[in-house]
Amino acid sequence: MRRISILGATGSIGQSTIDLIKRDRDAYDVVALTGGRNVAQLANDAIALQAEVAVISDESQYGALRDALAGSGVVAASGARALQEAASRPADWIMSAIVGAAGLPPGLEALKHGTTLALANKESLVTAGPILMQRAADHGARVLPVDSEHSGIFQALIGEDIATVERIIITASGGAFRDHPLDRLNDVTVAQASCHPNWDMGQRITIDSASMFNKALELVETKEFFGVRSDQIETIVHPESLIHALVGFNDGALMAHVGPPDMRHAIGYALHWPDRRALPVDRLDLAQIGQLNFRAPDPARYPALALARRVMEEGGLAGAAFNAAKERALDAFIAGEIGFMDMARVVCVTLDKMSARDGLQNATMTLDTVLDIDRLARIRAGEAIKMTGH
Ligand code: NAD
Ligand code: MG
């Protein structure tokens, strides 16, 4: 039996992971499930999977979780320390599917025990990629990508020498507003931004897909995970979301990863790696699909992409500042404090301020400095939001 834990079990990736686990229930011993706020979902799954412990991050929900788990044998816990403790429980495979920089500390904790970390939480690579990869190396742990693009790249690289890779192309659907009039983009609503044309995901990543902040994070994620130069990484808009990524080699070959937009593929690949097992995802009918389309991303529509280039070139703590400013700007957009295009302006102003004042490039990277910069960037972004607010 493989011992597994799921951090962020109540979210979109967490639920898709649980769907796969439930189909092969006897193969797994579930150690810990964690959630942010959704007690009912967490308790139901923890009981159904007979988890050892269920952790709700919101401490005010502890009583509700304890009551829901009464008599089930599942231990209830809450708060940040309980989350770290859950991540530190020995397991063979841990899914890191908390959204945002909040996923970094438990992911790092999990790696201390030499586990295999299935990494959906791209923010941990963007904010602290070198720390995460070093931690894994130090403890003989393995990080497997779960983002669909990175899983695709990873699969295209099997048996290949990374030195023969010329470029990596990650595709972007273009999000909810790929055809929306540019001059009306700042006025779109949160509800409009929360509908993805192809993928069914959590609200935050869906809005980040519309703004391409998600792709911006993924560019940095590619650099950190595969160790390639930023000028080797490209993005192309591919509205069908069937090709997830392409790897270009020195002989001109492009290896594409093609599949339906269903995260259970990338999750299942990471779950069974290094084996490939049957998965309950649709099979593509290429004749029916007929054609695949591609276009260059418009820099005016997607200013987040240029910000990602800047972050990759600056390096150091720029990723932590970028991600935190983006998270704060997204909070403000969801709260109706700023418009859709204002998010990129807020992030740009924050990076300008912090690069000049806070030495992002030359600072030593430790978990503490990353968390300090994360806090500072949220404050600076808050100031920028006040100046921008409507
Ligand atoms: P989601 O919002 O649906 O779920 C997030 C999970 O994290 C939930 O369990 C939530 O309760 C928990 N959480 C949120 N804030 C927390 C906090 N401060 N402390 C502890 N727990 C907290 O998000 P999602 O769409 O499942 O995405 C999860 C991660 O996977 C993100 O990093 C996202 O970028 C990445 N990802 C998601 C998809 C997708 O299809 N949904 C695809 C690729 C990558
Ligand atoms: Mg992705």
Side-chain angles (χ1 to χ4, degrees), residues 231-289:
D231 64 2
Q232 292 178 287
I233 312 169
E234 303 168 20
T235 307
I236 192 151
V237 174
H238 165 47
E240 291 86 3
S241 293
L242 297 176
I243 296 181
H244 306 308
L246 305 98
V247 178
F249 292 93
N250 59 3
D251 59 355
L254 273 177
M255 301 289 274
H257 185 274
V258 190
D262 183 336
M263 285 307 294
R264 291 177 307 171
H265 170 75
I267 297 167
Y269 184 77
L271 181 62
H272 300 304
W273 180 89
D275 299 335
R276 203 181 269 286
R277 300 242 183 105
L279 291 172
V281 300
D282 291 343
R283 273 45 175 172
L284 293 181
D285 180 341
L286 292 176
Q288 200 188 357
I289 292 160

Side-chain angles (χ1 to χ4, degrees), residues 47 49 56 142 180 249 349:
I47 293 169
L49 295 173
I56 195 87
R142 176 158 293 264
H180 202 83
F249 292 93
V349 168

Side-chain angles (χ1 to χ4, degrees), residues 55-239:
V55 179
I56 195 87
S57 285
D58 179 351
E59 301 202 15
S60 71
Q61 306 262 25
Y62 173 68
L65 181 65
R66 190 196 48 210
D67 293 349
L69 293 176
S72 69
V74 182
V75 174
S78 76
R81 280 181 59 183
L83 174 59
Q84 289 299 100
E85 192 278 328
S88 76
R89 290 192 177 217
D92 302 308
W93 189 89
I94 299 184
M95 166 55 78
S96 167
I98 288 172
V99 64
L104 175 63
L108 285 174
E109 185 65 31
L111 288 172
K112 274 188 191 165
H113 304 279
T115 191
T116 294
L117 189 71
L119 191 71
N121 179 264
K122 64 191 82 183
E123 296 89 344
S124 25
L125 276 173
V126 174
T127 55
I131 299 178
L132 192 93
M133 300 308 272
Q134 189 60 49
R135 174 73 59 95
D138 289 347
H139 295 274
R142 176 158 293 264
V143 182
L144 294 174
V146 171
D147 218 344
S148 54
E149 297 76 4
H150 305 76
S151 175
I153 298 164
F154 188 81
Q155 293 178 53
L157 284 173
I158 293 170
E160 306 287 353
D161 177 356
I162 190 82
T164 64
V165 172
E166 272 180 359
R167 58 184 179 147
I168 292 178
I169 306 172
I170 58 176
T171 58
S173 68
F177 307 123
R178 60 193 174 206
D179 300 314
H180 202 83
L182 199 52
D183 57 345
R184 301 218 305 266
L185 261 187
N186 204 44
D187 303 320
V188 297
T189 65
V190 174
Q192 286 174 302
S194 303
C195 293
H196 198 282
N198 306 333
W199 294 88
D200 179 13
M201 311 185 283
Q203 185 191 32
R204 298 182 73 87
I205 183 175
T206 302
I207 300 175
D208 282 350
S209 295
S211 63
M212 284 256 196
F213 268 111
N214 180 49
K215 211 50 53 182
L217 296 176
E218 289 180 359
L219 288 170
V220 185
E221 185 187 6
T222 304
K223 176 170 180 279
E224 297 298 337
F225 190 88
F226 296 102
V228 291
R229 297 187 315 273
S230 55
D231 64 2
Q232 292 178 287
I233 312 169
E234 303 168 20
T235 307
I236 192 151
V237 174
H238 165 47

